[in-house]
Amino acid sequence: MRHALNSSHHEGHEGHEGKSKNPFVYFVSFVLKIFSTENIWAFILFLIVLALIVFTSDSSPVWIYQGF
């Protein structure tokens, strides 16, 4: 147990003082994963479907009031 708490026995383990990458590098890789070609096309398709729904709907949904 005593050796587990002593950080000098952990060889090859670098903590916060070790070499770390710039946070911007992690952000850029995350953004590149999100904005892949498939995701961009899926988003464009979503916008087209949303625009079709908005522009083709009436001002009030009549089908809700049909039973009253």
Side-chain angles (χ1 to χ4, degrees), residues 1-13:
M1 181 72 178
R2 188 174 292 167
H3 293 294
L5 297 175
N6 191 354
S7 64
S8 64
H9 286 78
H10 298 289
E11 296 177 9
H13 181 267

Side-chain angles (χ1 to χ4, degrees), residues 30-48:
F30 177 71
V31 169
L32 289 176
K33 286 179 185 177
I34 288 177
F35 291 116
S36 66
T37 307
E38 293 173 348
N39 288 345
I40 291 173
W41 281 112
F43 185 67
I44 290 172
L45 181 64
F46 167 74
L47 290 178
I48 291 171

Side-chain angles (χ1 to χ4, degrees), residues 11-68:
E11 296 177 9
H13 181 267
E14 296 179 353
H16 294 288
E17 297 85 17
K19 295 179 183 177
S20 63
K21 290 185 179 180
N22 189 358
F24 185 71
V25 174
Y26 292 118
F27 178 73
V28 169
S29 66
F30 177 71
V31 169
L32 289 176
K33 286 179 185 177
I34 288 177
F35 291 116
S36 66
T37 307
E38 293 173 348
N39 288 345
I40 291 173
W41 281 112
F43 185 67
I44 290 172
L45 181 64
F46 167 74
L47 290 178
I48 291 171
V49 169
L50 184 68
L52 284 174
I53 291 172
V54 168
F55 291 129
T56 59
S57 64
D58 279 336
S59 59
S60 65
V62 177
W63 56 271
I64 292 178
Y65 305 109
Q66 285 180 352
F68 295 105

